[in-house]
Amino acid sequence: MNDLTFDYDSLPKKDIPFIKQTTREVHLLLERSTGDIIAIGQKLMGMKDRLGHGHWRAWLQTHWPLDVSLANRWMNVARKCGQFPHLKIPRSTLYLLAAGSTPDAMRDEFIRRVEAGEP
């Protein structure tokens, strides 16, 4: 992380506890295995929705300890592969499955094969 300070006072008071608690939860999830990418992506999507325009980037800059593009990548993984958190596949494969250029049919076929136990 960095030395910046996030301005919680500019948020609606009712949202501040949620934002602070979710920040703590995201930091804990970051310490876990790559299998939690989907969970982190889902949490980040919730944060982005709750923070709204103008606060999301500031929150990322102060609380997201990794590259901002990685936050976007993990949210995309959550959107495209969120129903498959049980799959044990390399992170690079997960990113390829979630890429916008990967056709849905190809993603579905890959997941079908992995679930069927194919190498």
Side-chain angles (χ1 to χ4, degrees), residues 6-20 47 50-56 59:
F6 183 78
D7 182 14
Y8 287 97
D9 294 334
S10 66
L11 300 173
K13 296 292 184 224
K14 67 177 181 53
D15 289 338
I16 293 173
F18 171 84
I19 300 300
K20 286 183 175 183
M47 288 286 284
R50 188 67 73 102
L51 284 167
H53 182 72
H55 298 293
W56 172 240
W59 181 87

Side-chain angles (χ1 to χ4, degrees), residues 98-118:
S101 59
T102 301
D104 291 340
M106 184 181 288
R107 181 177 25 263
D108 295 344
E109 178 64 14
F110 175 85
I111 290 166
R112 183 194 66 71
R113 288 180 178 195
V114 169
E115 288 181 329
E118 293 182 33

Side-chain angles (χ1 to χ4, degrees), residues 65-113:
L66 305 172
D67 188 84
V68 171
S69 66
L70 193 58
N72 291 321
R73 180 179 280 180
W74 287 6
M75 289 188 297
N76 197 43
V77 166
R79 277 190 287 280
K80 301 278 185 141
C81 303
Q83 67 272 37
F84 308 109
H86 60 284
L87 292 180
K88 302 286 189 246
I89 56 177
R91 192 184 299 196
S92 58
T93 303
L94 191 59
Y95 295 159
L96 287 172
L97 287 174
S101 59
T102 301
D104 291 340
M106 184 181 288
R107 181 177 25 263
D108 295 344
E109 178 64 14
F110 175 85
I111 290 166
R112 183 194 66 71
R113 288 180 178 195

Side-chain angles (χ1 to χ4, degrees), residues 29-79:
L29 287 170
L30 284 168
E31 295 174 8
R32 294 171 54 178
S33 73
T34 59
D36 290 325
I37 288 172
I38 291 171
I40 294 170
Q42 290 167 337
K43 292 215 173 275
L44 290 173
M45 288 189 308
M47 288 286 284
K48 186 175 182 179
D49 288 345
R50 188 67 73 102
L51 284 167
H53 182 72
H55 298 293
W56 172 240
R57 185 156 295 276
W59 181 87
L60 277 177
Q61 290 172 337
T62 49
H63 291 295
W64 182 248
L66 305 172
D67 188 84
V68 171
S69 66
L70 193 58
N72 291 321
R73 180 179 280 180
W74 287 6
M75 289 188 297
N76 197 43
V77 166
R79 277 190 287 280

